[in-house]
Amino acid sequence: MNTFKHITLSVLLASVPSLAAQRSATEWYQQGIEAKYRIKDAVAIESFEQAANLGHTESQYELAMLLLNQELIQGKSHDESISWLTQAAKNNHSKAQYELAMFYMDEYENPNSEQLVNKWMTEAASNNHQDAVAWVAKTKPSN
């Protein structure tokens, strides 16, 4: 019976992110926020990326927005920022969902942009993002 308990506990612990990793993600996030407000973008990006890689959704969003800003200033592709924004959006981050919808509104060359706008705007509205709620209400077909 003790072997069964040990195996069950081992399986349980392996399937749940460790408390230390979660604490670390929160610490990385806090460090990122502090660096962001001190306008130390390189430190903020590094800190948010550490937390984002540990699954910290708010860090995924913060990282995406900092990277997007840099990409816009430097005239670079938005691949990295959109990847992080999509990850946060998939994790039900309403601001990420809304920002992703807004990004796809300007993606004229993407044949799926209209579908992606509707998908992410609807998701953001379902997560009570007020601008998305208003957009969905405005674009909803009348019965």
Side-chain angles (χ1 to χ4, degrees), residues 25-79:
T26 301
E27 290 169 1
W28 281 114
Y29 170 74
Q30 292 299 332
Q31 183 176 327
I33 289 295
E34 184 177 321
K36 177 183 167 185
Y37 287 112
R38 293 176 187 237
I39 313 173
K40 295 182 177 182
D41 287 354
V43 173
I45 287 170
E46 180 182 336
S47 299
F48 288 138
E49 188 168 15
Q50 291 290 333
N53 283 324
L54 292 171
H56 194 275
T57 303
E58 187 66 28
S59 292
Q60 293 166 347
Y61 172 75
E62 292 288 346
L63 175 61
M65 298 311 289
L66 282 172
L67 290 172
L68 182 59
N69 187 49
Q70 280 190 350
E71 292 163 354
L72 288 169
I73 290 169
Q74 297 171 1
K76 291 183 177 179
S77 165
H78 306 313
D79 293 344

Side-chain angles (χ1 to χ4, degrees), residues 78-131:
H78 306 313
D79 293 344
E80 188 176 8
S81 60
I82 296 305
S83 175
W84 282 112
L85 201 55
T86 301
Q87 184 63 44
K90 287 179 179 178
N91 288 329
N92 291 318
H93 192 285
S94 65
K95 289 187 281 185
Q97 292 165 334
Y98 180 78
E99 292 296 335
L100 202 51
M102 297 302 289
F103 173 81
Y104 285 118
M105 279 186 187
D106 291 334
E107 277 290 295
Y108 303 113
E109 296 157 9
N110 185 335
N112 299 320
S113 62
E114 188 176 341
Q115 291 170 320
L116 291 166
V117 167
N118 288 326
K119 172 186 176 174
W120 292 117
M121 202 61 85
T122 301
E123 288 287 325
S126 72
N127 285 314
N128 298 314
H129 189 286
Q130 293 307 304
D131 292 334

